[in-house]
Amino acid sequence: MNDLNAASTPDLLARAAHVAEEVAGPHAAEVDRLAVFPAAAFAAVRNAGLLSMMVPVDQGGAGADLADVARAAEILARQCAATALIFAMHQIQVACLVHHGDQPVLRDLLRDVVGDKLLLGSATSESGIGGDIRRSRCALQVRGEAVTVEKDASVVSYGTDADAILLTARRTADSHSGDQVLVACRGADLEIRQAGQADMLGLRGTRSVPYRLIGRAPAGAVFEHTFDRILAETMMPYSHVLWSSVWLGLASAALAKAARFVQAGARRTGAGASVPAERLANLSATRQTMRALVEDATRAIGETAVPDRSAPRFIAQLNHLKVSVSSMAVEVVSGALMVTGTAGYRDEGEFAMGRLLRDVYGGVVMVNNDRLTATTAQLLLAVRSW
Ligand SMILES: Cc1cc2nc3c(=O)[nH]c(=O)nc-3n(C[C@H](O)[C@H](O)[C@H](O)COP(=O)(O)OP(=O)(O)OC[C@H]3O[C@@H](n4cnc5c(N)ncnc54)[C@H](O)[C@@H]3O)c2cc1C
């Protein structure tokens, strides 16, 4: 274990704050304008030992828990939501490896996340199935001790900057669409070809692009646990908490601008509470609710035994978290625009809201809130005690 990895939670969060303020923030506007991977921010994230912060101490990481990682994502999102979302997506894959990757090939990959500071990406979405990640069209092809997957991935973030991608596929060519496995393909064994338009409205630094992927891996890189199980026990709950933390950080960035605007106005005029100040108070209350929801869900994950994470009530709570927090983030950022008025509507200056507004809509369309609500409505039909 090296010194960087042997860090306490306050130290890790201080490093996240340093990366956010000194690197991610100053580069955020350019990353957005050019729609490029936030390379400087990730060099700093790597150097700060943050990529392996959630890997257990006995495997060389810092042993941070989900609450710590959520705080780090929020801190990064206050400066650059694209950096924060990439950080969050990487940590979700790390959690899958830590909880489900017992085989030697997967342990080796986790070891290299620590030692070589690898960045992990994800390809669950696929052309032709919409946002329903519980189904796959592509299938694992087994040739001796190796496997191959050819996938038309409808969206993959930072695909060409990831050192390995965890992707879903049907177990065999004869399997039904819901019989899925998760396989880890290292960058050197991946052919990746852009297969559609790259330009997005917001979160442009994530480089979320359609790709044709051809991944090869040793057979031991296929997780023994079914994807269904990995999704229920780890990927879904961790995703919703970490993504929500990004939307919370983004909302906080907008709120801070709105607060500075209102406070400067009050100092200038000497007037007391105004309509914008009241609006700010309401937005602050919404942000408080967002934080409470994230913390409550994080606690619920810690308190829910792993087999119980398939229970409708647990899934509903996590789905509610994602839908509520992403919607409230839109409310806070657009409310902050109302507070700042034309100063926020301008594309430059300290109150500019444009990038935050474009980024925040990513939260509601990324795994569409309407799709999640439809799933939750179906699940709640089975809940007997309210
Ligand atoms: C910024 C960003 C980054 C992403 N990064 C990745 C990544 O790294 N890897 C990856 O695999 N994927 C990624 N995705 C894709 C994401 O995981 C979802 O697959 C994607 O958001 C699906 O959206 P969709 O609009 O294409 O499809 P859908 O979810 O199918 O939604 C399309 C429309 O259909 C409606 N709809 C469809 N089905 C239903 C239903 N059953 N009930 C109700 N409404 C329904 C929706 O409400 C919506 O209006 C990313 C997406 C975004 C926005």
Side-chain angles (χ1 to χ4, degrees):
M1 185 167 61
N2 60 41
D3 284 338
L4 267 182
N5 287 334
S8 65
T9 296
D11 186 25
L12 288 165
L13 297 184
R15 288 185 211 168
H18 180 80
V19 171
E21 280 154 30
E22 301 300 323
V23 191
H27 285 88
E30 191 186 18
V31 161
D32 173 59
R33 186 166 49 81
L34 302 177
V36 288
F37 177 75
F42 270 86
V45 164
R46 278 192 163 98
N47 288 338
L50 296 174
L51 287 184
S52 55
M53 69 183 281
M54 202 169 23
V55 177
V57 172
D58 62 3
Q59 291 171 61
D65 63 16
L66 177 60
D68 300 334
V69 182
R71 285 285 296 139
E74 180 191 341
I75 289 167
L76 291 169
R78 282 173 173 253
Q79 300 292 334
C80 175
T83 297
L85 189 59
I86 296 169
F87 173 80
M89 290 195 273
H90 163 82
Q91 299 295 348
I92 295 158
Q93 309 313 308
V94 170
C96 292
L97 272 178
V98 169
H99 297 165
H100 305 280
D102 288 333
Q103 304 118 258
V105 172
L106 298 175
R107 283 284 158 240
D108 286 351
L109 180 59
L110 189 63
R111 188 199 59 213
D112 293 345
V113 167
V114 178
D116 297 339
K117 303 181 169 73
L118 301 187
L119 177 67
L120 305 180
S122 162
T124 51
S125 309
E126 188 172 6
S127 301
I129 55 163
D132 183 4
I133 65 167
R134 286 180 172 78
R135 291 190 296 127
S136 287
R137 291 177 82 187
C138 64
L140 213 58
Q141 302 158 42
V142 183
R143 294 200 185 98
E145 286 304 300
V147 296
T148 304
V149 181
E150 298 184 24
K151 180 161 188 160
D152 289 312
S154 48
V155 190
V156 180
S157 297
Y158 56 98
T160 51
D161 290 280
D163 299 301
I165 294 182
L166 275 58
L167 48 88
T168 45
R170 283 182 294 139
R171 183 176 299 282
T172 69
D174 297 327
S175 306
H176 66 83
S177 61
D179 181 10
Q180 294 167 289
V181 290
L182 186 66
V183 54
C185 295
R186 293 202 184 229
D189 302 324
L190 260 173
E191 282 175 42
I192 179 161
R193 183 166 48 81
Q194 192 170 322
Q197 278 201 327
D199 233 10
M200 280 246 189
L201 178 70
L203 298 166
R204 290 160 55 81
T206 62
R207 300 275 309 139
S208 299
V209 175
Y211 286 112
R212 166 89 176 147
L213 297 176
I214 304 180
R216 298 182 184 86
V222 181
F223 285 70
E224 280 169 4
H225 293 176
T226 61
F227 178 64
D228 221 21
R229 176 172 168 190
I230 297 169
L231 183 65
E233 292 178 3
T234 304
M235 191 183 276
M236 186 280 288
Y238 278 58
S239 296
H240 288 339
V241 164
L242 294 179
W243 291 341
S244 296
S245 301
V246 174
W247 317 134
L248 175 59
L250 220 172
S252 298
L255 193 63
K257 286 183 187 224
R260 280 199 300 276
F261 184 85
V262 169
Q263 287 161 354
R267 272 197 302 275
R268 216 174 30 248
T269 62
S274 56
V275 171
E278 281 174 26
R279 188 183 278 279
L280 181 67
N282 287 330
L283 297 177
S284 168
T286 304
R287 199 265 305 256
Q288 186 174 320
T289 306
M290 292 168 71
R291 185 180 300 291
L293 287 172
V294 171
E295 289 174 357
D296 188 45
T298 307
R299 220 175 8 256
I301 293 170
E303 289 169 359
T304 304
V306 164
D308 295 341
R309 292 186 188 169
S310 303
R313 192 186 294 282
F314 178 78
I315 299 173
Q317 181 180 2
L318 271 297
N319 285 355
H320 290 330
L321 169 75
K322 192 274 180 189
V323 171
S324 302
V325 171
S326 60
S327 305
M328 285 189 229
V330 170
E331 194 184 315
V332 171
V333 180
S334 36
L337 173 68
M338 288 296 285
V339 168
T340 53
T342 48
Y345 198 64
R346 284 205 180 91
D347 236 358
E348 47 193 13
E350 67 166 313
F351 302 115
M353 292 289 172
R355 173 165 54 86
L356 302 184
L357 262 176
R358 287 184 288 102
D359 286 352
V360 79
Y361 276 97
V364 295
V365 300
M366 181 179 178
V367 183
N368 197 292
N369 279 2
D370 285 347
R371 178 185 282 280
L372 267 188
T373 302
T375 307
T376 312
Q378 189 65 37
L379 278 173
L380 290 178
L381 295 176
V383 171
R384 303 226 172 273
S385 110
W386 289 79

